[in-house]
Structures are given as structure tokens and as C-alpha cells.
Amino acid sequence: MKTLFTRFPENPILTPQSISASSADLKIECLLNPGAFRYNGRTGLLLRVAERPVQREGMISFPIYDMQTGIKVIEIATNDPELNLDDPRVICYKGEDFLTTISYLLPVFSEDRIHFETDPAYGPLLGQDKYSAYGIEDCRVSQINDLYILTYTSVSPQGVAVGMKTTHDWITFEESGLIFPPHNKDCAVFEEKINDRYFAFHRPSSPEIGGNYMWLAQSPDLKHWGNHQCIARTREGHFDSARLGAGAAPIRTDKGWLAIYHGATEKNRYCLGAMLLDLNDPSILLARSEEPLMEPQEAYEMKGFFGEVIFNNGHLVNGDELTIYYGAADEVICGAKASIREILSTLDT
Amino acid sequence: MKTLFTRFPENPILTPQSISASSADLKIECLLNPGAFRYNGRTGLLLRVAERPVQREGMISFPIYDMQTGIKVIEIATNDPELNLDDPRVICYKGEDFLTTISYLLPVFSEDRIHFETDPAYGPLLGQDKYSAYGIEDCRVSQINDLYILTYTSVSPQGVAVGMKTTHDWITFEESGLIFPPHNKDCAVFEEKINDRYFAFHRPSSPEIGGNYMWLAQSPDLKHWGNHQCIARTREGHFDSARLGAGAAPIRTDKGWLAIYHGATEKNRYCLGAMLLDLNDPSILLARSEEPLMEPQEAYEMKGFFGEVIFNNGHLVNGDELTIYYGAADEVICGAKASIREILSTLDT
């Protein structure tokens, strides 16, 4: 099929080497899955930075946040009989699961939307409570008037849930705690109210009946959510056969809310698709991509920390031009552009 | 240990034979897990009735709600190669999971708190939307002033979630949709506001990191919930090693909120325990039973549709006397009494 998205020739635009680790003991393993926003005339990305301790021979070490002491590194002999390393992303020790890396969020800024740099005025956002002991990940940034709404995955021994904070100035933040309980991620708040209610996509997961489906919730105040509705399920044999989840906030178009989302197969191949939802009642799905709009194909998408992954949770709209920022192979950050009109033309309404 | 709860000598007080099935094609398999309330001078129980089609030789049949036609029975030849019956509670057909029974809620009333009967004025509450196609289960009934708040498990191909409806008269109900998305159950709303917020217990489950833990949420209006906090996790080697969940609304005492909860082991043995929570901030756990307060021991608790199960989600308080109603062996309904003061004395604060 015709390529809808044109990748930046500069890709990848950010790699683990682009920035410094938070301490000498730690190494940046991955830069990935940024939220995108505009602030004070500049384009901002809120990167997910995943760090891992520098490993020593015969030992395995991993970091967790400790509410008293900050980041704490736990080190275990690799021959410890209570250690289980069967899953490369997870360390199981004494029956408890830990992550190999810990993530935090880092804002970077650009004048040209391509070259991004940190700004000492705007520091990193770290996990800071018992619900983020294993880090915070994959933040969506929605903007309503001058309020920025940050919704992110908060990981801890209590589970994987959705946390929220808001800011006007990227310096002081109001914490809202967990707005969705475990197991949940991929939350993006709509950038305007509909019938006097806020709306958000989210992605609960079920250990039994059910699956990894896209849901919609409503709120009077952004902090309390209800009237949960399932808007899209996985589809056997499609690019979204095992799970799907929202990208950034949906885009208002004449035809409906256009949502760019990710779908993954049982083999963890992540592609992007689109769906169109009713403008007045976004629980009504009007159309959905049969084929992916964008799939892993470039070398930086095919190989990395976790290959064959394109994951998008930040974009900017300028008239008909959609610029997406995405994590490639769970390791580097890339950009691409598409025409919103052309994306809509692929959706059979 | 000393027996805290005195079982009703009349146990079981209700069995599948006590009431009639909703149609001639269906058979009541289990009566279980009632909510309890007082209304117009009588004691009410809101039973969970689980029905199954009468089975024919060589076929397996199960019911689902169809939004157009009501209850619909699906029948499949037992030798169909796309049928999988490995789990006795679940029928897997063409990759989709169905339940062997479908549940609805039925109010019954009593003058003496022991002998309960249906009342033609108060009909059953059925699943009625796409989130309850496999039924509604295990309803807690909380009362705030003259408002009854019904929170129940809503089961469908979309997952297992928490629905809510409210009533003043047990005849007309206001529907609130799903207040917690999948995977969630065991929701009980506190019967008064704390610091101008409603509170509820709930029990999300995680397919990965995390588990089946008891959580607390807050709401300004009962319909929208946020600030989710984990209040109690499973404990290895204890009666609540695999999962735990709230019973009915917690009981206000001088020492704190007393919550009777169920805990289950990996072998699905269900017992009752208690926890005490701070009156002003119920996210603070003050004490928790080390040993079960009540465990399956009577014949009607040890053998049934699913043996070794005591499950309580309804109680009434009269001064120091707590009367609990509970499902025994997932098949019959029983009652027991205890002194609140004696329960508190078992909790080490």
C-alpha cells in the first residue's frame, strides 16, 4: 500500500547517547515513547528514559525508587537460587517481579521540531510514591487552554496503573494520584469537553475473560472517571490481534475524532492504525483501519532493545499536517509526517 | 481458635430448590452471595441466582443475554472440535470464553431475618447491556439516607467489571454504567462520606506485575472515581495468599472502619477475615486478621457447586450484633452472627 507517513530523514532524532544518565552508576538503555506538546513557542517532547545500573560480572542489578532514599540499586548474585530470569524484561526474585530498567520522564525542547535539547530550567519528572517504585512510562500530554494534562503508566509491586499530573508552567505540577487502577495504561485525555464532560481513552487488561481492548471513560473534573465503555477490541489475524491502545489525544476533524492508535500481534510486532469516532459521542466507532497505516520497516525500527516496534503517544497538528513522534524498537526516538486528509481517506465510513 | 461466628441453626436458609427458575428451559444451579439491606421494616437479601439450561444428551448448552431478544440459549455438540471444556466454570468455543451459568439478582424479604421469600412487587434485576451479556453477580447493597447503592460484577466478552445502579424504592433504578473497568469486582461503597468524599473498596486484578489486591477509591458523586490506593495485598502462607476482596460496606466503630473481607488460597479455599481502617483516612490499614475469623467447616460449606467456600457480601448491624449472610460452597445461602466487640478484640492495633 501507499506510504502515508513520511519519516524524518534525520531519524532517529534522539538515541540513548543523546543525553546523560541521571548518575554515574546508571546507563541509559532506551529513550522512547515521547509525549509531544507546544510551550512558549517551542516544541516539547516528554521522553521516557529507561535506565539500568552498570552491570558487574556474576551479579545482576536493577534500580527501584525508595520513598525515603530516592533511587536504590538492588544487586543479586546471578547464581542465587531464588532468582528467575526467564523473561528478559522482568527479574523475578523471591517470588516478586522487578523490571530490568526503571523509567522517568524528561522534557526536551526544539525550535525546528527536529533537533531537541534538554533545558536546565525544566527538570526530569521522577516516580515519587509507592505506585511508581518501578518507574513512570509513556506519558501522553494533552492541552486544554493553558493546562497541560500528563497521563502516564505508573509501575510498582501494586501493579501497572495510570497516574496523572497537571501543570501550567512545566515547573510546578499538581498530582492527582492514580486515575485508573491496575491493570491499565495508554491513557490519553481528549483536548476539549464534549457535552460538558471530559473524555479519555484507556487500556485495561484482563487476566481472564476479556482482553487488551481500548476503552473510553468520562469525567466531570479530570480526576474522577466513570461510565467506562469498550470502543475497540482486538481482531484475529489483523495487526492488532493481541492488544491495542491509544496514541495521543484524538484529533478533531469534520468527519469525527481521528485517533491514531497502536496495535500489536501475539509476536509483539507493533504498528500504527487509525480509528474515527463520533464527534458528539466518541463511544461510537465509525471506522477503523483494516491495514496498518505505518509498520516497522527501517533498520532503527526492526532492531533495538525490542525489535519490530513503532509506538506513538505524541503528535502535533498544523492544519492538514500531522507530525508524529514515536519510539522505534523500544530504543530510539523518531518522527514522521502525514496528511490528515489522506489518513481519513483510508477509513471506510 | 474460639469460634467468633455462630451459624444459624436453620442453615442453609435458601437453596436452589427454594425458588423457581426464570423459565422451563432453565435450572437454578446455585443461589449465592447475597447483598443485605433493610427496607420498609423488612430485611432484604439480593440473591445471586445462577441458572443453566437443562442439558441434552450429546450437547452442551449455555445462556447469554441478547440485547434484542433477552436470554438466548446457545447449544453446541460436545464433539465439536472447536469446543474446549478444560475449565468446568468456562466454556471455550471458537476461541471465545463463555460461562456455564448466567447470573441475575433477585430480592427476597423476611420479617424474622431467617425465613426469606420473594415478593411479586419486587422483580429480578437482569443484565441488560453489552457489559452484562454473561450476567451480573455478587451485589453489595449500601445505604446512604434513603438511597440504596447497588454495586455488582458485570460479566461480558468485554471483561469482568463493576456496574452500579441506585434506587429509592426497589422498583425504579437509575443506571450508572460501569464505574470500574475490567478486571474488577468486590466493590462496596462506604455508607457515609468522609471529608466530603464518597469511598469504595474494589478489587482490580493484574495479568502481570501486581495481583488480586484490595483497593480504595474516592468520588465526589458516586459515579466517577479516582485517587485509587492499594490498602491490602495477598500474604504468602496465609488464608488470603491468592486473592482478597471486600465484603459489604465497612462498619463504623470507635476504633476505626471494620471491614469483613474474604481471602482465598491458591486452592480456592475461601475464608473470612477482618481489617480495621483509619476513620478519617481509610487508606490507612490499622490492623488485619492473621488467622481467618470464619472458615468452611460445615457440610454445606465443604461440598457443593464449588466446595470449601464461604463468601460474604451482605450484613446487618444491630448494636454490637453483626449478622452476616453468605454463600456456602457456591450453592446455598447461610447466615451467622458475631459480636463486633469480639471481632475487634482479635485485631492487634
Side-chain angles (χ1 to χ4, degrees), chain A residues 54-208:
Chain A
V54 176
Q55 301 292 306
R56 293 197 301 147
E57 178 86 22
M59 308 295 283
I60 188 154
S61 57
F62 52 92
I64 65 169
Y65 287 115
D66 182 288
M67 279 160 72
Q68 270 74 49
T69 61
I71 282 192
K72 187 171 87 174
V73 172
I74 297 177
E75 192 167 42
I76 298 161
T78 49
N79 62 3
D80 190 313
E82 299 203 78
L83 185 70
N84 179 335
L85 300 174
D86 291 348
D87 182 330
R89 292 161 299 182
V90 176
I91 292 161
C92 182
Y93 185 61
K94 294 188 174 176
E96 181 128 17
D97 287 336
F98 299 91
L99 300 185
T100 50
T101 61
I102 192 165
S103 292
Y104 61 90
L105 307 174
L106 181 69
V108 293
F109 296 91
S110 170
E111 303 283 352
D112 65 2
R113 302 187 171 210
I114 296 166
H115 301 89
F116 287 85
E117 288 185 348
T118 54
D119 180 334
Y122 304 98
L125 307 178
L126 308 176
Q128 58 187 25
D129 59 22
K130 74 172 188 171
Y131 302 108
S132 51
Y134 297 173
I136 55 177
E137 307 179 351
D138 302 348
C139 190
R140 278 73 175 170
V141 179
S142 296
Q143 186 176 355
I144 299 182
N145 302 319
D146 63 346
L147 181 73
Y148 295 89
I149 303 153
L150 281 60
T151 51
Y152 48 86
T153 309
S154 203
V155 188
S156 77
Q158 280 68 241
V160 175
V162 175
M164 185 176 92
K165 50 185 107 204
T166 53
T167 186
H168 290 90
D169 59 10
W170 291 92
I171 291 173
T172 57
F173 292 84
E174 190 196 337
E175 306 291 334
S176 299
L178 296 182
I179 58 167
F180 297 114
H183 185 97
N184 210 311
K185 43 173 65 176
D186 300 328
C187 173
V189 174
F190 286 47
E191 293 185 308
E192 60 185 271
K193 283 183 164 185
I194 304 165
N195 301 323
D196 206 33
R197 281 277 177 273
Y198 295 103
F199 282 78
F201 295 129
H202 61 106
R203 211 290 294 286
S205 290
S206 291
E208 298 167 17

Side-chain angles (χ1 to χ4, degrees), chain A residues 96 130-131 156-159 178-179 181-183 204 206-207 209-210 215 218 220 223-230 233, chain B residues 96 130-131 156-159 178-179 181-183 204 206-207 209-210 215 218 220 223-230 233:
Chain A
E96 181 128 17
K130 74 172 188 171
Y131 302 108
S156 77
Q158 280 68 241
L178 296 182
I179 58 167
H183 185 97
S206 291
I209 291 170
W215 287 64
Q218 300 178 29
K223 296 181 183 182
H224 304 88
W225 295 86
N227 199 10
H228 298 274
Q229 294 175 281
C230 182
R233 294 172 62 183
Chain B
E96 182 127 15
K130 75 172 189 173
Y131 301 108
S156 77
Q158 280 68 240
L178 296 182
I179 58 167
H183 184 96
S206 291
I209 292 171
W215 287 64
Q218 300 179 29
K223 296 182 183 180
H224 303 88
W225 295 86
N227 199 9
H228 299 274
Q229 294 175 281
C230 182
R233 294 172 63 182

